[in-house]
Amino acid sequence: RYCSGGAERMLSVLKTMKVEGLVSKKLSEPYSSGRSGSWVKYKFVNEDDFAIIGFRVAMDRPRAVASLAIASAERGRWRYAGFCGSGLSARVASDLYQRLAPSRAGKPAVAIPASAELTAVVWVKPHHVARVRFGERLPSSILRHARFITVRRD
């Protein structure tokens, strides 16, 4: 369907609909199927804060984090949001291990879905908060395309 003008409003409405993004065609180009320079993809990016509730140790560096188990605050409780491993540099992974290792806990601080793959997770008390960029949040609260940005310093 053809739509002109009002792009900012349209993007705002689409973002509230929780869609991943928008694909559009340059007005000056004819329609063609398949990939071409005529098509423009605009992907929405979300960011939020998540409690770090666990981590996996890096296989190649035993005193470094490979990925973080995270949870979001929903209605006064923590809710499991999956893992975030992308975005961790070697230096940050080592620093996170040093921060998180003393906070070890015997079990997760949140209810974990039965479908979650939780091998070799070191659970920690949720004392640290990570800023995470992600594509979308599924109805189950699991994040898609989660990427670590930083640890909040407050």
Side-chain angles (χ1 to χ4, degrees), residues 13 43 52 54 70 79 87 95 100 123 147:
V13 169
K43 191 167 175 102
I52 300 171
I70 56 177
R79 186 159 183 200
D95 178 59
L100 297 173
W123 299 111
R147 181 175 180 80

Side-chain angles (χ1 to χ4, degrees), residues 38 54 61 94:
S38 297
R61 292 169 286 142
S94 295

Side-chain angles (χ1 to χ4, degrees), residues 54-128:
F55 64 91
R56 288 188 177 121
V57 177
M59 296 181 91
D60 58 337
R61 292 169 286 142
R63 296 182 61 79
V65 168
S67 60
L68 300 170
I70 56 177
S72 59
E74 293 182 17
R75 296 185 195 103
R77 297 178 32 199
W78 293 118
R79 186 159 183 200
Y80 178 71
F83 277 85
C84 174
S86 181
L88 294 169
S89 68
R91 182 185 58 77
V92 169
S94 295
D95 178 59
L96 281 170
Y97 182 88
Q98 297 302 317
R99 287 183 194 209
L100 297 173
S103 300
R104 291 176 194 248
K107 60 182 181 175
V110 301
I112 305 293
S115 61
E117 187 179 319
L118 300 174
T119 56
V121 178
V122 177
W123 299 111
V124 297
K125 296 173 185 148
H127 296 311
H128 299 278

Side-chain angles (χ1 to χ4, degrees), residues 133-152:
R133 183 173 291 143
F134 57 97
E136 74 173 310
R137 191 183 309 238
L138 299 175
S140 63
S141 288
I142 303 297
L143 302 183
R144 289 192 60 215
H145 312 295
R147 181 175 180 80
F148 174 83
I149 299 172
T150 190
V151 173
R152 276 197 357 210

